[in-house]
PDB file of all heavy atoms in Angstrom:
ATOM      1  N   THR N  35     136.566   7.555 174.104  1.00  0.00           N
ATOM      2  CA  THR N  35     137.968   7.478 173.676  1.00  0.00           C
ATOM      3  C   THR N  35     138.218   6.242 172.827  1.00  0.00           C
ATOM      4  O   THR N  35     138.943   6.281 171.821  1.00  0.00           O
ATOM      5  CB  THR N  35     138.883   7.443 174.901  1.00  0.00           C
ATOM      6  OG1 THR N  35     138.383   8.332 175.879  1.00  0.00           O
ATOM      7  CG2 THR N  35     140.288   7.826 174.546  1.00  0.00           C
ATOM      8  N   ARG N  36     137.606   5.112 173.227  1.00  0.00           N
ATOM      9  CA  ARG N  36     137.769   3.851 172.487  1.00  0.00           C
ATOM     10  C   ARG N  36     137.242   3.990 171.064  1.00  0.00           C
ATOM     11  O   ARG N  36     137.857   3.521 170.097  1.00  0.00           O
ATOM     12  CB  ARG N  36     136.962   2.793 173.227  1.00  0.00           C
ATOM     13  CG  ARG N  36     137.419   1.446 173.489  1.00  0.00           C
ATOM     14  CD  ARG N  36     138.764   1.220 174.016  1.00  0.00           C
ATOM     15  NE  ARG N  36     139.246   0.056 173.265  1.00  0.00           N
ATOM     16  CZ  ARG N  36     140.336   0.077 172.549  1.00  0.00           C
ATOM     17  NH1 ARG N  36     141.095   1.120 172.525  1.00  0.00           N
ATOM     18  NH2 ARG N  36     140.702  -0.980 171.872  1.00  0.00           N
ATOM     19  N   THR N  37     136.057   4.631 170.944  1.00  0.00           N
ATOM     20  CA  THR N  37     135.459   4.816 169.617  1.00  0.00           C
ATOM     21  C   THR N  37     136.375   5.668 168.750  1.00  0.00           C
ATOM     22  O   THR N  37     136.573   5.388 167.561  1.00  0.00           O
ATOM     23  CB  THR N  37     134.091   5.513 169.748  1.00  0.00           C
ATOM     24  OG1 THR N  37     133.371   4.911 170.794  1.00  0.00           O
ATOM     25  CG2 THR N  37     133.313   5.462 168.460  1.00  0.00           C
ATOM     26  N   LYS N  38     136.934   6.716 169.364  1.00  0.00           N
ATOM     27  CA  LYS N  38     137.818   7.599 168.604  1.00  0.00           C
ATOM     28  C   LYS N  38     139.054   6.844 168.126  1.00  0.00           C
ATOM     29  O   LYS N  38     139.476   6.972 166.978  1.00  0.00           O
ATOM     30  CB  LYS N  38     138.223   8.784 169.495  1.00  0.00           C
ATOM     31  CG  LYS N  38     138.568  10.010 168.713  1.00  0.00           C
ATOM     32  CD  LYS N  38     138.521  11.259 169.554  1.00  0.00           C
ATOM     33  CE  LYS N  38     139.402  11.198 170.770  1.00  0.00           C
ATOM     34  NZ  LYS N  38     139.595  12.530 171.346  1.00  0.00           N
ATOM     35  N   SER N  39     139.614   6.010 169.041  1.00  0.00           N
ATOM     36  CA  SER N  39     140.798   5.251 168.642  1.00  0.00           C
ATOM     37  C   SER N  39     140.462   4.296 167.505  1.00  0.00           C
ATOM     38  O   SER N  39     141.215   4.173 166.536  1.00  0.00           O
ATOM     39  CB  SER N  39     141.330   4.435 169.821  1.00  0.00           C
ATOM     40  OG  SER N  39     141.435   5.212 170.961  1.00  0.00           O
ATOM     41  N   PHE N  40     139.303   3.617 167.624  1.00  0.00           N
ATOM     42  CA  PHE N  40     138.921   2.653 166.597  1.00  0.00           C
ATOM     43  C   PHE N  40     138.766   3.337 165.241  1.00  0.00           C
ATOM     44  O   PHE N  40     139.246   2.837 164.216  1.00  0.00           O
ATOM     45  CB  PHE N  40     137.614   1.977 167.023  1.00  0.00           C
ATOM     46  CG  PHE N  40     137.025   1.086 165.987  1.00  0.00           C
ATOM     47  CD1 PHE N  40     137.649  -0.117 165.652  1.00  0.00           C
ATOM     48  CD2 PHE N  40     135.855   1.428 165.332  1.00  0.00           C
ATOM     49  CE1 PHE N  40     137.113  -0.950 164.681  1.00  0.00           C
ATOM     50  CE2 PHE N  40     135.311   0.592 164.381  1.00  0.00           C
ATOM     51  CZ  PHE N  40     135.948  -0.598 164.052  1.00  0.00           C
ATOM     52  N   LEU N  41     138.097   4.502 165.239  1.00  0.00           N
ATOM     53  CA  LEU N  41     137.812   5.165 163.957  1.00  0.00           C
ATOM     54  C   LEU N  41     139.062   5.791 163.352  1.00  0.00           C
ATOM     55  O   LEU N  41     139.120   6.013 162.149  1.00  0.00           O
ATOM     56  CB  LEU N  41     136.753   6.249 164.157  1.00  0.00           C
ATOM     57  CG  LEU N  41     135.336   5.716 164.343  1.00  0.00           C
ATOM     58  CD1 LEU N  41     134.379   6.859 164.601  1.00  0.00           C
ATOM     59  CD2 LEU N  41     134.889   4.944 163.122  1.00  0.00           C
ATOM     60  N   THR N  42     140.061   6.141 164.196  1.00  0.00           N
ATOM     61  CA  THR N  42     141.266   6.749 163.628  1.00  0.00           C
ATOM     62  C   THR N  42     142.391   5.744 163.485  1.00  0.00           C
ATOM     63  O   THR N  42     143.538   6.115 163.220  1.00  0.00           O
ATOM     64  CB  THR N  42     141.737   7.916 164.508  1.00  0.00           C
ATOM     65  OG1 THR N  42     141.846   7.452 165.857  1.00  0.00           O
ATOM     66  CG2 THR N  42     140.764   9.060 164.430  1.00  0.00           C
ATOM     67  N   GLY N  43     142.087   4.445 163.677  1.00  0.00           N
ATOM     68  CA  GLY N  43     143.066   3.404 163.400  1.00  0.00           C
ATOM     69  C   GLY N  43     144.198   3.328 164.406  1.00  0.00           C
ATOM     70  O   GLY N  43     145.312   2.937 164.052  1.00  0.00           O
ATOM     71  N   ARG N  44     143.943   3.709 165.660  1.00  0.00           N
ATOM     72  CA  ARG N  44     144.989   3.617 166.677  1.00  0.00           C
ATOM     73  C   ARG N  44     144.620   2.536 167.687  1.00  0.00           C
ATOM     74  O   ARG N  44     143.470   2.097 167.749  1.00  0.00           O
ATOM     75  CB  ARG N  44     145.140   4.946 167.412  1.00  0.00           C
ATOM     76  CG  ARG N  44     145.644   6.057 166.522  1.00  0.00           C
ATOM     77  CD  ARG N  44     145.833   7.347 167.297  1.00  0.00           C
ATOM     78  NE  ARG N  44     144.585   8.031 167.524  1.00  0.00           N
ATOM     79  CZ  ARG N  44     144.098   8.334 168.716  1.00  0.00           C
ATOM     80  NH1 ARG N  44     144.742   7.997 169.798  1.00  0.00           N
ATOM     81  NH2 ARG N  44     142.961   8.977 168.835  1.00  0.00           N
ATOM     82  N   ARG N  45     145.608   2.096 168.513  1.00  0.00           N
ATOM     83  CA  ARG N  45     145.277   1.128 169.557  1.00  0.00           C
ATOM     84  C   ARG N  45     144.600   1.803 170.727  1.00  0.00           C
ATOM     85  O   ARG N  45     143.596   1.373 171.206  1.00  0.00           O
ATOM     86  CB  ARG N  45     146.536   0.388 169.999  1.00  0.00           C
ATOM     87  CG  ARG N  45     146.870  -0.703 169.000  1.00  0.00           C
ATOM     88  CD  ARG N  45     148.030  -1.535 169.409  1.00  0.00           C
ATOM     89  NE  ARG N  45     147.912  -2.046 170.765  1.00  0.00           N
ATOM     90  CZ  ARG N  45     148.935  -2.574 171.424  1.00  0.00           C
ATOM     91  NH1 ARG N  45     150.123  -2.623 170.858  1.00  0.00           N
ATOM     92  NH2 ARG N  45     148.793  -3.031 172.638  1.00  0.00           N
ATOM     93  N   GLY N  46     145.165   2.902 171.208  1.00  0.00           N
ATOM     94  CA  GLY N  46     144.517   3.730 172.212  1.00  0.00           C
ATOM     95  C   GLY N  46     144.385   3.092 173.576  1.00  0.00           C
ATOM     96  O   GLY N  46     144.604   1.899 173.748  1.00  0.00           O
ATOM     97  N   PRO N  47     144.029   3.888 174.607  1.00  0.00           N
ATOM     98  CA  PRO N  47     143.882   3.362 175.961  1.00  0.00           C
ATOM     99  C   PRO N  47     142.609   2.521 176.073  1.00  0.00           C
ATOM    100  O   PRO N  47     141.674   2.701 175.296  1.00  0.00           O
ATOM    101  CB  PRO N  47     143.778   4.625 176.831  1.00  0.00           C
ATOM    102  CG  PRO N  47     143.277   5.669 175.912  1.00  0.00           C
ATOM    103  CD  PRO N  47     143.754   5.328 174.545  1.00  0.00           C
ATOM    104  N   PRO N  48     142.554   1.594 177.066  1.00  0.00           N
ATOM    105  CA  PRO N  48     141.341   0.775 177.233  1.00  0.00           C
ATOM    106  C   PRO N  48     140.192   1.609 177.779  1.00  0.00           C
ATOM    107  O   PRO N  48     140.377   2.720 178.279  1.00  0.00           O
ATOM    108  CB  PRO N  48     141.778  -0.290 178.241  1.00  0.00           C
ATOM    109  CG  PRO N  48     142.903   0.335 178.975  1.00  0.00           C
ATOM    110  CD  PRO N  48     143.606   1.237 178.008  1.00  0.00           C
TER     111      PRO N  48
END
Side-chain angles (χ1 to χ4, degrees):
Chain N
T35 320
R36 223 47 221 122
T37 315
K38 206 161 56 165
S39 312
F40 173 70
L41 285 177
T42 52
R44 294 182 281 121
R45 280 184 51 194

